[in-house]
Amino acid sequence: MISRYLGNKQSIMTPLLEAIGAHARPGDHVVDAFSGSLSVAMGLKSSGYRVTANDINLFSSVLAEAYLVPTALPDFDASRGIVENRVESLSRVRQSAIESLHRPDYEMILNAIDERQVAALASFIEFLNSCDDLDLPDSYRRTDFYDAYCEAGTNSRFVSSRGRSGNRRFFKPQNARRIDRILNHLRFWNREGLIRDATLAILLASTLRAVEKVANTQGTYHDFPRSNWDSRALNPLVLEMPDLRYIYAGGPLDHYAGREQDTLEFISSVDHHSVLYLDPPYNFRQYSAYYFLLNVICRYVEMEDPSAYFGNLMFVRGQNPDDDFASSFCKASRFIEDMRTLIRRADCDTVVISYFNGKNHWSKFDSGPDSTGQLLLEQLLAEPMFEQGSQRTVLVPRRNYASYVGYTARDVSELILSARVVQDREGDPTGAVRQPVPQMV
């Protein structure tokens, strides 16, 4: 999973699940409409809910396809032969993977795990950690990530809006080369039909986690340290076996993940759900820009013409503008109205919203906590489309350790707001309890 993610709710998972649990029982359908790092969606799956997740970022969809949707490891039988005869000490690798299953936190899922598939996955991981690309056709032996995101790369030059120039330095050379070799193989296997979608998803998810651990960033990919290296970036990139609890948690329910869809449009296609969980962007940060590089990694394996794609990189960060998405939730003038529209289009019983009284639409980084957004959301949840008296707000104090130009850690609150939706139009004078997306003609 991705842990260096703005707004990651892992720190408030317990009270958040308690708030959702007040309105849903195990087996009920719960929607995570801005799934991001997938931490909440996976918490919901582990709690026994049927989960639908969606996010505009492709990497979130890939994580969902790897961990949320499946309830068992994929069948590697059709593709395992492409690596098994090329991994040194294969029997050792397979045996080590099987032995690693006997750990206390796997006790509840051990009987459900197919050791044969675990061993096969370990073979893929071992191969990708050590492969070169000499065996690939010339058209798949590429250096796009080294060239674009390594300081020594031929495509890494940038000029900022202020006229400053330099070279991108997201990765040390050895890690950029490893990323290229991994993705060259995944792209070859994918485009030549040698690997199944489920296998590709779990290998991409492992790649994302490995990249996050060695990226020269402060948590986002909007920029990078210009004159120094984050200590994590000095470590070698190594793919690891995933935590199988993500996959086997919660039992065999029918989970679903949207793929790069605007939630305002996606939500009308979702069947009835007990709880609609909303954790939208609530400041200026556009997540498709801040996490673009994770999206590029996922998109690369499907690219027909990488040269054209990487020939159109822009901005200091090196993003192809075709991949950018400007969320209207990131605008204070649109935030509440978009929330209202989203809720009206959903077929849900209860809405649960995460919010943060630190830096948001109505406060600056150095201004301290601000209650404006909370008040506006509470007013929204008191509108006629909600059951009167059902609105609740829970404050979860925490320490925000983000710092900026001399401003240091401060006390803030995570907010969990909820209200039950009126289930008949008579209770909503606006007649808009369930408002479909306008159809294009």
Side-chain angles (χ1 to χ4, degrees), residues 281-296:
Y282 33 75
N283 56 41
F284 68 91
R285 295 186 178 98
Q286 295 286 352
Y287 279 61
S288 66
Y290 273 57
Y291 297 95
F292 83 96
L293 194 46
L294 301 182
N295 292 333
V296 177

Side-chain angles (χ1 to χ4, degrees), residues 257-271:
R259 190 172 180 87
E260 276 189 293
Q261 295 189 55
D262 183 345
T263 289
L264 280 169
E265 298 176 1
F266 172 79
I267 196 63
S268 287
S269 68
V270 180
D271 61 334

Side-chain angles (χ1 to χ4, degrees), residues 29 82 181 239 307 326 346:
H29 188 194
I82 62 179
R181 289 167 182 162
L239 271 63
S307 294

